[in-house]
C-alpha cells in the first residue's frame, strides 16, 4: 500500500528546511534536492511505476495500463537509461507532475504539491479500479525556478527542445560552477509520445480565496522576463570622498529600482528587483559595481517590451547624471502562453461542486514551456489562503490539497480514459 498524501507530505517536510526561517533551500543538484529526487524514485518503485529519466535529471514515472504493474527491471535505481524504456509504451501519454526544487528560502508547496498530488491521484485512480486507455506519467522537471543557473524551467526547456544543450551547458551558478559540470547533457527524448500535460500547482495569489473555490484551472501565463542590469562606477573611500566627487553606481541602481516600481504600478504590471550583487560590498567604500536583476511581468508582450524599455531609458538617463555606466542584458524572455481553451473548458466543466474557475497567472511554470512547444497543456491551481508564494508563508490546507488530488484524479480520468 503506497504512502498516502499526508504521509508523503510529512516525509518531504524536513528536507532542505531552514531552522531559522522555516523556508526551503532545495536548489538543483544540492543534497536536499537530490534527496527529494531519490524519494521520488522510491515512490515510483513502491508503486511499480516505470522510471524514465534523461541526461539532465528530469524524471518520469510511467503507469502503463497495458503492463499494469511493470516488471522490477524497469523500476530500477539510477542510472536509468534509454534502454530501460524499451517495451514501455508512452504513446498517447498523459503527463502530470511539477518540480521539487525551490527558490531560495521558498515555500513547501511551489512544485512539490504537484508531484505529491500526481502520485496520490494515480493511487486514487488505481483504488477506484480505473483502467486508463493511455499511459499516465508522473514527471519531475529539474531547475524549474532558475534559482541556481538563472534560467527558469531549464529542465523542461531542454526536455521539450525549447533550448538547446549548446546554449544551456555554459550557464553558471553563483559559485561559477557550470551547468555541464553537474549534469551529463540535455535534449529531447524524454517526452516522446506525450500528448498532454497537466500540472497541479499551489495558487500564487488570492483569486481562488476571493472566489471561494478550492480548485481552479489556468487560462494563461503572462509574458515575463529576467534582465541583468550592470551598473558601473568608481570605488572610493566612504569618508574622504566628497559627495560631489563620487561616481556611485548604487545611486543609479536605487533610482532604477524606484523607477521600475513606479512604471509597473502606473501600467498595472509587475516589476521587481529581488537580487543584487555589490562589488566590493563593503560598508565603508563607494561600490565599483552593482549587478541587479529585474524580473518583469506584463499582461501583453508589447507592454513587457515597453516597461523594460522605459526602465532602461530611465536608468541610462540617471547614469548620465551620476557619471556611471549601465548595460542591460535580457537573460530570458518568455512569451505569453494561452493554455488550450478547449482543454481548460473540458477540465473545468460539470463537477458536483459546479464549474471550476478558470484564472490567469503571472507565474512561470514548466506547463508554460510544454504548451509553447505545442503539447496541449492545462494547469490546476489549489487555493492558498495567504496568497503568498516564493516565501516560507506559502501555504494550503490539507482539505484543499486533498480536493486538489481528487480534482487531478478526475482530470486524468477524463483525459486518459
Ligand atoms: C517561477 O515560479 C516564476 O514564476 O518565477
Ligand atoms: Mn512552481
Ligand atoms: Mn516558483
Amino acid at each position: 500500500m503506497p504512502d498516502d498524501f499526508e504521509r508523503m507530505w510529512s516525509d518531504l517536510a524536513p528536507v532542505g528546511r531552514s531552522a531559522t526561517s522555516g523556508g526551503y533551500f532545495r536548489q538543483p543538484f544540492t543534497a536536499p534536492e537530490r534527496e527529494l529526487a531519490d524519494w521520488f524514485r522510491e515512490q515510483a518503485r513502491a508503486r511499480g511505476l516505470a522510471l524514465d529519466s534523461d541526461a539532465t535529471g528530469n524524471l518520469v514515472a510511467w503507469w502503463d495500463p497495458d503492463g499494469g504493474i511493470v516488471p522490477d527491471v524497469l523500476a530500477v535505481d539510477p542510472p536509468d537509461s534509454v534502454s530501460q524504456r524499451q517495451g514501455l509504451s508512452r504513446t498517447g501519454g498523459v503527463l502530470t507532475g511539477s518540480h521539487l526544487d525551490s527558490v531560495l528560502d521558498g515555500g513547501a508547496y511551489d512544485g512539490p504539491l504537484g508531484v505529491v498530488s500526481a502520485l496520490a491521484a494515480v493511487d486514487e485512480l488505481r483504488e477506484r479500479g480505473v483502467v486508463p486507455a493511455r499511459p499516465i506519467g508522473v514527471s519531475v522537471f529539474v531547475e524549474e525556478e532558475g534559482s541556481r543557473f538563472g534560467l527558469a524551467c531549464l529542465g523542461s526547456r531542454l526536455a521539450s527542445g525549447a533550448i538547446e544543450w549548446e546554449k544551456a551547458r555554459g550557464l553558471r551558478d553563483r559559485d561559477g560552477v557550470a551547468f555541464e559540470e553537474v549534469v551529463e547533457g540535455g535534449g529531447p527524448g524524454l517526452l516522446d509520445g506525450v500528448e498532454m500535460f497537466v500540472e497541479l500547482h499551489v495558487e500564487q495569489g488570492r483569486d481562488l480565496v476571493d472566489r471561494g473555490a478550492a480548485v481552479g484551472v489556468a487560462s494563461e501565463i503572462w509574458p515575463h522576463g529576467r534582465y541583468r542590469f550592470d551598473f558601473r562606477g568608481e570605488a572610493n573611500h566612504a569618508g574622504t570622498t566628497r559627495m560631489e566627487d563620487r561616481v556611485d553606481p548604487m545611486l543609479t541602481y536605487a533610482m532604477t529600482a524606484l523607477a521600475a516600481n513606479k512604471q509597473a504600478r502606473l501600467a498595472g504590471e509587475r516589476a521587481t528587483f529581488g537580487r543584487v550583487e555589490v562589488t566590493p560590498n563593503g560598508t565603508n567604500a563607494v561600490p565599483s559595481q552593482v549587478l541587479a536583476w529585474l524580473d518583469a511581468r506584463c499582461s501583453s508582450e508589447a507592454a513587457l517590451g515597453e516597461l523594460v524599455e522605459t526602465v532602461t531609458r530611465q536608468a541610462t538617463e540617471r547614469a548620465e547624471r551620476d557619471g556611471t555606466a549601465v548595460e542591460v542584458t535580457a537573460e530570458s524572455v518568455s512569451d505569453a502562453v494561452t493554455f488550450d481553451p478547449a482543454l481548460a473548458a473540458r477540465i473545468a466543466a460539470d463537477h458536483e461542486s459546479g464549474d471550476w474557475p478558470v484564472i490567469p497567472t503571472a507565474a512561470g511554470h514548466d506547463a508554460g514551456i510544454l504548451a509553447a512547444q505545442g503539447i496541449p497543456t492545462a494547469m490546476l491551481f489549489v487555493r492558498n489562503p495567504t496568497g503568498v508564494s516564493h516565501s516560507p508563508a506559502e501555504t494550503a490546507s490539507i482539505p484543499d490539497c486533498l480536493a486538489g488530488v481528487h480534482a487531478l484524479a478526475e482530470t486524468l480520468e477524463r483525459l486518459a480514459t
Side-chain angles (χ1 to χ4, degrees), residues 1-319:
M1 173 83 179
D3 294 345
D4 67 10
F5 178 91
E6 287 182 69
R7 177 69 199 276
M8 288 190 274
W9 199 248
S10 62
D11 279 353
L12 300 192
V15 183
R17 187 169 201 187
S18 155
T20 13
S21 68
Y24 288 90
F25 290 82
R26 294 166 168 171
Q27 275 52 68
F29 311 106
T30 61
E33 191 259 8
R34 287 296 90 188
E35 188 179 333
L36 295 181
D38 288 346
W39 171 88
F40 179 77
R41 290 170 189 277
E42 188 49 48
Q43 291 295 321
R45 186 175 19 244
R47 289 168 174 78
L49 305 177
L51 197 57
D52 205 353
S53 69
D54 62 16
T56 312
N58 297 308
L59 300 168
V60 181
W62 284 104
W63 172 21
D64 181 355
D66 293 336
I69 305 288
V70 299
D72 261 4
V73 67
L74 285 174
V76 294
D77 276 327
D80 309 305
S81 72
V82 175
S83 63
Q84 288 166 17
R85 295 179 200 151
Q86 283 165 7
L88 172 65
S89 165
R90 294 173 291 166
T91 308
V94 177
L95 198 63
T96 180
S98 193
H99 58 99
L100 293 171
D101 64 307
S102 75
V103 293
L104 297 166
D105 211 14
Y109 297 80
D110 180 354
L113 184 63
V115 176
V116 172
S117 299
L119 292 167
V122 166
D123 294 344
E124 181 187 318
L125 292 174
R126 284 174 159 182
E127 274 160 27
R128 288 206 267 113
V130 173
V131 181
R134 299 157 171 272
I136 293 179
V138 179
S139 59
V140 177
F141 291 111
V142 295
E143 179 64 310
E144 192 274 347
E145 299 288 5
S147 70
R148 181 163 176 193
F149 293 100
L151 183 58
C153 303
L154 188 49
S156 60
R157 283 182 204 268
L158 281 162
S160 66
I163 188 173
E164 285 170 12
W165 170 243
E166 281 311 310
K167 281 202 173 146
R169 64 189 299 170
L171 293 169
R172 287 184 187 274
D173 70 10
R174 294 167 201 228
D175 298 321
V177 178
F179 187 52
E180 64 185 343
E181 292 174 56
V182 298
V183 300
E184 285 163 19
L190 186 68
L191 304 182
D192 289 354
V194 170
E195 281 191 6
M196 270 178 252
F197 180 54
V198 184
E199 180 170 1
L200 177 144
H201 206 278
V202 68
E203 200 204 348
Q204 297 169 292
R206 291 180 47 86
D207 215 336
L208 293 177
V209 175
D210 294 345
R211 292 165 190 261
V215 172
V217 178
S219 57
E220 59 174 305
I221 296 180
W222 276 18
H224 53 281
R226 295 179 179 193
Y227 309 82
R228 190 181 69 241
F229 282 61
D230 183 348
F231 302 96
R232 284 174 191 269
E234 287 170 17
N236 215 329
H237 195 290
T240 58
T241 318
R242 288 186 306 190
M243 298 310 280
E244 57 273 30
D245 290 344
R246 296 176 181 216
V247 183
D248 186 349
M250 186 66 89
L251 299 181
T252 323
Y253 158 66
M255 200 291 305
T256 304
L258 294 174
N261 183 280
K262 186 173 175 187
Q263 285 307 319
R265 277 167 185 268
L266 289 174
E269 320 286 10
R270 312 276 155 76
T272 309
F273 277 100
R275 177 181 169 199
V276 183
E277 284 175 14
V278 181
T279 307
N281 209 20
T283 307
N284 56 355
V286 174
S288 58
Q289 183 188 29
V290 175
L291 285 177
W293 282 261
L294 170 68
D295 178 307
R297 310 185 186 219
C298 294
S299 52
S300 73
E301 284 152 27
L304 180 64
E306 210 170 295
L307 176 70
V308 175
E309 200 181 299
T310 306
V311 175
T312 302
R313 181 170 40 74
Q314 293 186 341
T316 308
E317 284 167 9
R318 175 71 197 209

